[in-house]
Amino acid sequence: MQLSKIGSKICRPIAGKVDGSGASGGGGGGGTQTFTVSASADDGYVFLANQSTSTPTSGWGSPSNSGSNVYIGAVEDYDNWPNIYSHYLGYFRFQNITVAQGATISSAYLKPYKIGYPDRTASMKGISQDNVSAPTAGSDLAASNFTTAGITNFVTGTGFGQITSPDIKDIVQEIVDRAGWASGNAMMLAVYAPLTGLSTSWTARSFDYSSGSEAAELIIET
C-alpha cells in the first residue's frame, strides 16, 4: 500500500554475495570469516501500518522476501495523517555459520548494501535461537525473540553502496554461547530504526535484486 510512496522517500535495500559459507577459517577455529545471505527467503522485511511513533514490538505482518529491497525504519502514513506511521523491520539470515559453540568472538559486522542518500541511525538485535529458520510469520520477528545484546548506533551515512555496522560481537557472542548452538547453524539479525523525526526509513538490497551479488554480508572474527 505505501510501497510506492515509500520508495520515493526511502533509500533502497541491499543484499549480498552469496553462498552462506565461510570464506576463511572454519569449524570454529580462529580467523576472519565472511558469510553472505544465500537464499531468497533469508532477507526481507515485515511491515505494520497505522502505528504511533514508537517502533512496534509485535504484530508484524507476514514477511515480504520476494522483492529487490529490504525496507527498514518508519515513514509517515499520509493516508492517515497526522502522527500515524508505517513501520518496517528488516531481517538478514546467514546460513552455515562455521563458528563453534562457545567460541570467543573478537569482532563481528553486518555489511548491507544501502540504496539512496538519507543518513539514518538504525538499531540491531539478533534472533535468540540455536538454529534459526527463515521467518514465515511476523511473530518470528517479535521483540520477544530478540537477543538481549544489541546496538542502537548503526549510522548509515549518505549515498549508495556497501556499509559497515558498528561492532556487533556481543550479539553474535550471545547466540553462539547458547547451549544448543553448533557450528553450521544459521543466525539472523533484525534491523530497525526508531522514529526520531518525520521519517527514519532507508533501504538495503535484497538477495533477489541481483541473485546475490549485492547481498548483505556478516563478518565474524574469532
Side-chain angles (χ1 to χ4, degrees), residues 5-27:
K5 295 179 181 176
I6 290 197
S8 65
K9 302 171 174 283
I10 283 192
C11 327
R12 281 191 330 179
I14 325 181
K17 276 181 179 158
V18 84
D19 62 2
S21 62
S24 62

Side-chain angles (χ1 to χ4, degrees), residues 1-174:
M1 139 203 166
Q2 267 91 6
L3 286 185
S4 59
K5 295 179 181 176
I6 290 197
S8 65
K9 302 171 174 283
I10 283 192
C11 327
R12 281 191 330 179
I14 325 181
K17 276 181 179 158
V18 84
D19 62 2
S21 62
S24 62
T32 299
Q33 300 188 74
T34 299
F35 306 95
T36 306
V37 169
S38 58
S40 295
D42 286 342
D43 60 10
Y45 62 91
V46 287
F47 168 74
L48 192 54
N50 304 333
Q51 297 299 301
S52 65
T53 56
S54 59
T55 302
T57 58
S58 62
W60 298 107
S62 297
S64 176
N65 55 24
S66 60
S68 61
N69 294 327
V70 177
Y71 294 105
I72 296 165
V75 63
E76 191 161 19
D77 184 345
Y78 292 104
D79 291 338
N80 296 282
W81 188 86
N83 300 322
I84 299 296
Y85 297 85
S86 297
H87 289 264
Y88 298 81
L89 181 147
Y91 61 87
F92 302 93
R93 176 177 178 260
F94 299 91
Q95 301 183 46
N96 193 27
I97 302 294
T98 48
V99 174
Q101 193 278 332
T104 299
I105 307 303
S106 299
S107 64
Y109 302 93
L110 175 68
K111 299 182 71 172
Y113 285 77
K114 175 177 171 284
I115 303 304
Y117 293 107
D119 185 2
R120 306 301 194 198
T121 300
S123 297
M124 194 187 321
K125 295 270 192 173
I127 300 301
S128 187
Q129 293 183 19
D130 298 335
N131 186 21
V132 64
S133 300
T136 58
S139 57
D140 294 335
L141 289 154
S144 57
N145 293 326
F146 288 175
T147 55
T148 299
I151 61 168
T152 59
N153 60 338
F154 185 2
V155 179
T156 67
T158 59
F160 299 74
Q162 190 175 38
I163 58 176
T164 303
S165 74
D167 197 343
I168 56 170
K169 67 178 182 180
D170 290 345
I171 298 175
V172 175
Q173 188 73 67
E174 182 175 336

